[in-house]
Amino acid sequence: QVQLVESGGGQVQAGGSLRLSCADSGRTFGSYAMGWYRQGPGKEREFVAAISWNSDATYYADSVKGRFTISRDNGKNTVYLQMNSLRPEDTAVYYCAARRGGGIATRDSDFGSWGQGTQVTVSS
C-alpha cells in the first residue's frame, strides 16, 4: 500500500518555476507507476504527466509538454514534477497518484491511491 504526500506548491509569477514532490511512506513504491493530475478552479480534474515504475516511459498532457518534467527516485520513494515557464492557467491543486503494476497510464480510473493535493498559484 502507498501513502502519498505532496509538497512544493506555492505562489509564483508567470514564467517562474516550481518543483513538486510526492513522497510515499509505504514499502512498495518502486512497483507502482505514478502520475500527476490537477484540478483548477471550476474545472474537472485533468491528467498532467505519468511515469512508469522504472522511469523508462513518461507521458505528458499536450498543455504541459516541453514545460513540465516528471521524474522519480525509487531509492527515496519520491516522484517529482518540475514545472517551468508557468502560466496563470497552470493554477490548480496538483495531486499525485499511484498505479499498482507499474505500467504507465493516463486515466484517473487507473490509479488507486491519491495524495491530498498541493496548491499551485501562478499570477500574471
Side-chain angles (χ1 to χ4, degrees):
Q1 188 71 310
V2 293
Q3 295 176 324
L4 307 173
V5 178
E6 300 96 335
S7 62
Q11 186 163 357
V12 64
Q13 288 191 328
S17 299
L18 283 174
R19 188 176 81 154
L20 305 183
S21 299
C22 173
D24 167 37
S25 60
R27 299 182 180 180
T28 57
F29 178 80
S31 64
Y32 285 74
M34 300 297 295
W36 285 97
Y37 284 75
R38 67 186 182 186
Q39 186 166 16
K43 298 180 181 180
E44 294 186 353
R45 186 168 62 189
E46 64 175 356
F47 169 79
V48 175
I51 188 168
S52 61
W53 71 276
N54 61 354
S55 304
D56 69 346
T58 58
Y59 192 79
Y60 297 91
D62 288 343
S63 59
V64 307
K65 203 172 293 183
R67 300 188 297 124
F68 291 11
T69 302
I70 188 171
S71 63
R72 67 189 296 162
D73 184 337
N74 287 348
K76 295 182 179 179
N77 284 10
T78 302
V79 62
Y80 304 97
L81 186 68
Q82 177 66 45
M83 305 186 294
N84 299 328
S85 302
L86 283 161
R87 304 167 180 168
E89 54 264 38
D90 295 318
T91 294
V93 177
Y94 283 71
Y95 300 90
C96 70
R99 178 175 187 261
R100 202 168 191 177
I104 198 168
T106 61
R107 297 178 303 179
D108 55 3
S109 59
D110 290 326
F111 292 85
S113 299
W114 294 80
Q116 84 291 347
T118 186
Q119 176 70 47
V120 172
T121 302
V122 184
S123 57
S124 57

